[in-house]
Amino acid sequence: MSIYDIRTMGETIKGNEYVGRGIVIGKTEDGTKAAIAYFIMGRSENSRNRVFKEAENSEVIIFPFDESKVEDPSLIIYSPIKKFGQATIVTNGDQTQTIYEYLYGGKSFEAALETRCFEPDGPNWTPRISGMVAQYNGDFTYKMSILKSGDAEGTVCNRFTFSYAPIAGLGHFLHTYVENGNPIPTFQGEPERVSIPNDIDEFFNDIWENLDEDNKISLYVRYIDLATGEEENRMVNKNQ
């Protein structure tokens, strides 16, 4: 297997019971659109009690499906997708707002995440994963980040950032966990190389249909036309 091999999202996630939360960013095969996907999974009733909702200014917000069942909202209610100018931020936690505020203050994606750490949910110490698409002159660049514990006790935070020039047909997939477990093993290595088709519905369905049926919760996909800035979105919630 070459380091340049590319698999579909379906091939990458099929049969994996629990990859946690996931971000995909890349460029469509015809080179005309930036693609962003974000999904959440959950094992506990608290985690599964969530839905995505679209808000103003292209923002996506997570809400409880049944407010009476909310146990701890601190790590499950946040905006996974938010725009600042020509930048689109996507994360698995409230660091979305941290990145937004740093960009607003003229600072960088990396500087924002230097102030944050993995989630305080030992013994899993769930990583914070983040991404950002920055559009300019009819094209874009993108970054991805993971903040994770350096040991089993959660005593130190290690921060990794990956910066990409887009390649037509290629995306990168970053997720919180390798697979199910107790504690759940943290994602290792570089974001995985996946294919990005031209058709948003093909991409959307390939992800949703291959996520574990018991543990998948919600999925959001956005394609951004690089020439016009027009956005095309798809969203599904298991809790309807």
Side-chain angles (χ1 to χ4, degrees), residues 99-168:
I99 296 168
Y100 180 89
E101 291 172 359
Y102 267 64
L103 295 179
Y104 185 83
K107 299 177 183 178
S108 67
F109 175 83
E110 292 89 343
L113 293 170
E114 281 291 330
T115 70
R116 302 304 305 268
C117 196
F118 50 83
E119 295 180 359
D121 62 342
N124 295 318
W125 310 120
T126 299
R128 289 191 187 273
I129 57 173
S130 308
M132 185 176 73
V133 170
Q135 295 171 249
Y136 67 97
N137 297 332
D139 208 350
F140 70 103
T141 58
Y142 61 103
K143 296 180 179 182
M144 305 185 88
S145 164
I146 184 167
L147 314 179
K148 58 184 182 178
S149 178
D151 59 15
E153 291 73 38
T155 63
V156 295
C157 181
N158 294 334
R159 298 175 176 86
F160 303 87
T161 302
F162 305 89
S163 298
Y164 297 103
I167 297 174

Side-chain angles (χ1 to χ4, degrees), residues 174-195:
L174 180 60
H175 45 104
T176 51
Y177 307 124
V178 176
E179 59 188 1
N180 209 352
N182 189 22
I184 319 173
T186 294
F187 180 89
Q188 301 291 321
E190 295 183 20
E192 298 173 278
R193 293 164 62 90
V194 295
S195 58

Side-chain angles (χ1 to χ4, degrees), residues 40-240:
I40 59 174
M41 305 179 77
R43 303 188 304 175
S44 68
E45 184 175 10
N46 190 47
S47 291
R48 291 177 175 178
N49 182 37
R50 294 183 286 175
V51 291
F52 287 175
K53 293 184 180 180
E54 294 177 308
E56 296 180 351
N57 301 318
S58 301
E59 185 173 3
V60 178
I61 303 175
I62 296 178
F63 287 92
F65 177 63
D66 183 346
E67 291 187 7
S68 68
K69 294 182 178 179
V70 175
E71 299 168 9
D72 177 8
S74 63
L75 296 177
I76 65 168
I77 309 301
Y78 55 92
S79 296
I81 297 176
K82 191 177 180 77
K83 289 190 69 175
F84 176 79
Q86 293 299 299
T88 302
I89 306 159
V90 53
T91 89
N92 73 329
D94 63 10
Q95 71 268 27
T96 302
Q97 187 62 26
T98 306
I99 296 168
Y100 180 89
E101 291 172 359
Y102 267 64
L103 295 179
Y104 185 83
K107 299 177 183 178
S108 67
F109 175 83
E110 292 89 343
L113 293 170
E114 281 291 330
T115 70
R116 302 304 305 268
C117 196
F118 50 83
E119 295 180 359
D121 62 342
N124 295 318
W125 310 120
T126 299
R128 289 191 187 273
I129 57 173
S130 308
M132 185 176 73
V133 170
Q135 295 171 249
Y136 67 97
N137 297 332
D139 208 350
F140 70 103
T141 58
Y142 61 103
K143 296 180 179 182
M144 305 185 88
S145 164
I146 184 167
L147 314 179
K148 58 184 182 178
S149 178
D151 59 15
E153 291 73 38
T155 63
V156 295
C157 181
N158 294 334
R159 298 175 176 86
F160 303 87
T161 302
F162 305 89
S163 298
Y164 297 103
I167 297 174
L170 174 66
H172 289 91
F173 173 37
L174 180 60
H175 45 104
T176 51
Y177 307 124
V178 176
E179 59 188 1
N180 209 352
N182 189 22
I184 319 173
T186 294
F187 180 89
Q188 301 291 321
E190 295 183 20
E192 298 173 278
R193 293 164 62 90
V194 295
S195 58
I196 307 290
N198 293 329
D199 188 278
I200 188 172
D201 291 311
E202 178 185 344
F203 185 53
F204 179 85
N205 291 329
D206 192 39
I207 298 173
W208 188 247
E209 291 172 2
N210 287 288
L211 285 169
D212 182 79
E213 185 64 32
D214 292 334
N215 293 319
K216 66 184 182 183
I217 301 171
S218 299
L219 167 66
Y220 195 91
V221 172
R222 173 172 295 166
Y223 274 24
I224 305 169
D225 189 296
L226 296 172
T228 67
E230 182 179 352
E231 297 172 358
E232 188 174 9
N233 304 310
R234 298 289 186 273
M235 181 176 72
V236 63
N237 293 302
K238 192 172 182 180
N239 295 315
Q240 297 290 350

